[in-house]
């Protein structure tokens, strides 16, 4: 009986598991195209005459589009499965990329800015792309967590690493679409992304569904059909941190979660830190092109410089998730998996460390950066801090509030940047707008130098430092557990 239970827990490496792993990896690698927006931003600014607030509005729509329906996406994953999330992602990507490419093609003008109706359509398209990224996230990350319940940190770390690698993977072909003015031509590149992401998620949806149906026909337990309940007499790492009485974890109501002050403490902290990071991710092109190259004061838009920052963010994000996942399993084990309580900062401490790293990078930008070649440190710190936080969140939520409603509860946490990302992005855009020169001949002069965004980074640095220190009481409360 013991061996049988162990086999069920660890899962056998069969065709269904292999298919799921392929689908998880494919979705993760192609699910985050919204973060490639800085690559097309110079093209949109030049050919459609979009201002910085308009560019920020488009990218913010994509970033916050990941959040409004996150709880619904988590519920869809809990009740139906990863195949449904993958199918929803395919639909959002096909519509979003397709309409955006069509809009760019129809409204390119050398003399007139884009119409208000077309601009609103572009904003809506990027919102759909953000929504598709959310469904892709659930179809990959939480599928990995449920498929390998005994190695949750490693499984989610790998899936999140691939998801973080998605902007790098999708940005590599951007050099195929260089236009005559030495920037990536937005229309062709967007259509290419639509084809790739749509086909991949459609095939993954079929693969997920086939693996589940095949497991059912063979009477094999699958993680999305049979959720093994932990024994009351044998607690393990599936057991929630909150003690259970006679009611199962799935009866924990939504109102109970909302009444938990520690949930909101964590929620606000994640909102402020990840919102500032997403501000950088969405506006890194503006930061780079506002600075001169070290060897020349002349401002130029060079696609390799912009795309390299996107790739640095993606690579550092990926590496942080790959490293953080196994380290969490080793140094922050579930309290039910081992009796040893090792001296380690814990999952809350990792979030606080990420906040301190980002605060240091923001202070560096506000005080020291003068040239394009110096921005890579900001990009690397942003990727590392952002990746660390989202790698920690699933396991922390699972331990504190239980596994039964993991998708719903983690979905609620993922709402956090929905409110802070627009605030940070518009603070950035308004500071840049004020620093821009007067409008001449219908075109706006681009601001030059750190004066464009220095005040934004000063504010961000102070804020995230305060968040890092504010997490100390929460760390003390959960020390030794999470």
């Amino acid at each position: 009986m013991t061996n049988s239970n162990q086999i069920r827990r660890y899962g056998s490496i069969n065709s269904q598991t292999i298919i799921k792993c392929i689908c998880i990896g494919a979705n993760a690698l192609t699910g985050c195209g919204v973060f490639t927006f800085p690559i097309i931003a110079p093209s949109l600014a030049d050919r459609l005459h979009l201002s910085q607030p308009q560019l920020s509005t488009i990218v913010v729509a994509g970033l916050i589009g990941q959040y409004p329906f996150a709880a619904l996406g988590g519920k869809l994953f809990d009740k139906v499965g990863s195949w449904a999330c993958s199918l929803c992602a395919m639909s959002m990507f096909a519509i979003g990329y397709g309409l955006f490419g069509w809009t760019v093609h129809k409204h390119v003008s050398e003399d007139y800015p884009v119409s208000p109706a077309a601009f609103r359509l572009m904003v809506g398209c990027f919102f759909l792309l953000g929504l598709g990224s959310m469904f892709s996230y659930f179809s990959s990350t939480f599928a990995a967590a449920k498929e390998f319940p005994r190695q949750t940190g490693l499984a989610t770390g790998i899936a999140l690493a691939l998801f973080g690698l998605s902007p790098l993977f999708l940005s590599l072909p951007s050099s195929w679409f260089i236009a005559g003015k030495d920037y990536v031509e937005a229309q062709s590149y967007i259509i290419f992304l639509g084809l790739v992401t749509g086909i991949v998620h459609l095939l993954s949806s079929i693969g997920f569904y086939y693996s589940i149906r095949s497991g059912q026909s063979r009477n094999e337990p699958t993680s999305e059909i049979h959720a093994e309940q932990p024994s009351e007499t044998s607690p393990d790492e599936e057991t929630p941190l909150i003690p259970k009485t006679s009611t199962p974890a799935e009866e924990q109501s939504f109102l109970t979660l909302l009444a938990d002050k520690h949930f909101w403490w964590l929620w606000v902290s994640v909102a402020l830190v990840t919102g500032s990071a997403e501000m950088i991710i969405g506006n890194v092109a503006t930061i780079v092109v506002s600075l001169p190259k070290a060897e020349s004061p002349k401002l130029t838009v060079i696609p390799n410089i912009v795309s390299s920052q996107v790739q640095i963010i993606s690579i550092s994000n990926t590496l942080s998730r790959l490293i953080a996942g196994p380290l969490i399993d080793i140094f922050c084990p579930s309290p039910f998996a081992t009796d040893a309580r090792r001296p380690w900062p814990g999952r809350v401490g990792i979030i606080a460390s990420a906040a301190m790293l980002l605060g240091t990078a923001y202070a560096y930008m506000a005080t020291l950066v003068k040239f394009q070649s110096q921005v890579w440190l900001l990009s690397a710190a942003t990727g590392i801090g952002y990746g660390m936080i989202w790698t920690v969140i699933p396991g922390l939520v699972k331990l504190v509030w239980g596994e039964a409603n993991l998708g719903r509860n983690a979905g609620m946490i993922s709402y956090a940047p929905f409110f802070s990302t627009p605030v940070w992005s518009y603070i950035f855009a308004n500071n840049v707008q004020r620093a821009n020169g007067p409008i001449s001949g219908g075109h706006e002069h681009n601001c030059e130098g750190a004066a464009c965004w220095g005040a934004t980074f000063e504010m961000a640095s102070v804020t995230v430092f305060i968040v890092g220190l504010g997490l100390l009481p929460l760390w003390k409360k959960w020390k030794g557990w999470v």
Side-chain angles (χ1 to χ4, degrees), residues 291 360-375 377 450 453-454 457-458:
L291 292 168
T360 302
Y362 299 159
Y364 162 77
M365 287 295 297
T367 57
L368 298 177
V369 170
K370 304 297 180 184
F371 302 107
Q372 292 178 349
S373 59
Q374 298 172 313
V375 178
L377 287 173
W453 30 257
F457 280 109
E458 291 173 0

Side-chain angles (χ1 to χ4, degrees), residues 263-322:
F263 175 83
W264 289 111
W265 197 331
L266 178 65
W267 190 95
V268 171
S269 299
V270 171
L272 292 173
V273 178
T274 59
S276 68
E278 291 189 355
M279 172 192 70
I280 306 302
I281 294 170
N283 294 282
V284 68
T286 300
I287 297 170
V288 172
V289 300
S290 68
L291 292 168
K293 295 188 295 182
E295 63 270 19
S296 171
K298 184 180 179 181
L299 290 175
T300 56
V301 179
I302 302 177
N304 286 340
I305 293 178
V306 176
S307 62
S308 67
Q309 300 306 316
V310 175
Q311 292 168 5
I312 289 171
I313 293 173
S314 179
I315 292 172
S316 58
N317 190 1
T318 300
L319 291 177
S320 71
R321 295 172 192 255
L322 282 173

Side-chain angles (χ1 to χ4, degrees), residues 21-364:
C21 288
I22 293 173
C23 295
I24 288 169
N27 280 9
L29 274 176
T30 58
C32 207
V34 68
F35 287 146
T36 63
F37 179 82
I39 295 176
I40 64 172
S43 173
L44 298 177
D46 182 64
R47 302 190 67 190
L48 275 68
H49 312 301
L50 296 178
S51 65
Q52 182 58 45
Q54 287 178 313
L55 292 173
S56 293
T57 299
I58 294 173
V59 70
V60 164
L63 294 175
I64 69 174
Q66 304 170 84
Y67 306 116
F69 301 99
L72 178 62
K75 203 68 176 178
L76 181 67
F77 174 83
D78 290 335
K79 298 299 183 182
V80 183
S82 50
W83 70 269
C85 291
S86 185
L87 188 62
C88 288
M90 181 276 295
S91 302
M92 298 299 103
F93 289 149
I95 296 172
Y97 285 121
L99 277 179
F100 193 92
W102 177 84
T103 304
V104 172
H105 172 70
K106 286 292 184 179
H107 294 86
V108 169
S109 172
E110 294 295 332
D111 301 315
Y112 302 100
V114 67
S115 68
F119 171 69
R120 287 193 292 268
L121 181 59
M122 295 169 71
V123 172
C125 289
F126 253 72
F127 181 86
L128 289 179
L129 296 181
L131 187 59
S133 294
M134 179 272 295
F135 281 115
S136 180
Y137 174 87
F138 279 111
S139 72
S140 56
T141 304
F142 288 98
K146 281 201 168 185
E147 186 66 20
F148 302 99
R150 295 287 290 182
Q151 296 87 24
T152 302
L154 178 60
T156 57
I158 292 175
L160 285 168
L162 293 176
F163 196 77
L165 196 62
S166 177
L168 170 63
F169 178 77
L170 295 174
S171 69
L172 292 177
S174 65
S175 59
W176 304 345
F177 305 99
I178 301 296
K181 293 188 178 180
D182 293 332
Y183 51 61
V184 174
E185 204 280 308
Q187 176 194 343
S188 300
Y189 181 59
I190 285 292
I191 292 175
F192 168 79
L193 292 182
L195 290 173
V196 171
T197 57
I199 292 172
V200 167
H201 283 78
L202 176 61
L203 295 177
S204 292
S205 178
I206 296 172
F208 279 129
Y209 187 78
Y210 165 79
S211 64
I212 296 172
R213 297 294 296 178
S214 179
Q216 284 179 322
S217 64
R218 298 182 185 184
N219 293 321
E220 294 177 359
T222 61
S223 57
E224 294 187 13
I225 301 170
H226 299 282
E228 183 177 349
Q229 299 295 328
S231 170
E232 294 184 2
T233 59
S234 302
D236 56 23
E237 70 175 355
E238 310 299 321
T239 308
L241 178 59
I242 299 175
K244 297 191 291 185
T245 56
S246 60
T247 58
E250 56 266 23
E251 291 185 6
Q252 183 187 35
S253 69
F254 184 61
L255 293 178
T256 302
L257 182 70
L258 295 181
D260 189 341
K261 65 179 182 180
H262 300 109
F263 175 83
W264 289 111
W265 197 331
L266 178 65
W267 190 95
V268 171
S269 299
V270 171
L272 292 173
V273 178
T274 59
S276 68
E278 291 189 355
M279 172 192 70
I280 306 302
I281 294 170
N283 294 282
V284 68
T286 300
I287 297 170
V288 172
V289 300
S290 68
L291 292 168
K293 295 188 295 182
E295 63 270 19
S296 171
K298 184 180 179 181
L299 290 175
T300 56
V301 179
I302 302 177
N304 286 340
I305 293 178
V306 176
S307 62
S308 67
Q309 300 306 316
V310 175
Q311 292 168 5
I312 289 171
I313 293 173
S314 179
I315 292 172
S316 58
N317 190 1
T318 300
L319 291 177
S320 71
R321 295 172 192 255
L322 282 173
I323 295 171
L327 288 181
I328 290 169
D329 285 338
I330 294 172
F331 295 106
C332 305
S334 164
F336 304 109
T338 178
D339 293 330
R341 295 188 179 181
R342 305 171 188 177
W344 186 254
R347 289 167 173 83
V348 177
I350 292 175
I351 296 176
S353 300
M356 293 299 182
L357 174 64
L358 288 170
T360 302
Y362 299 159
Y364 162 77

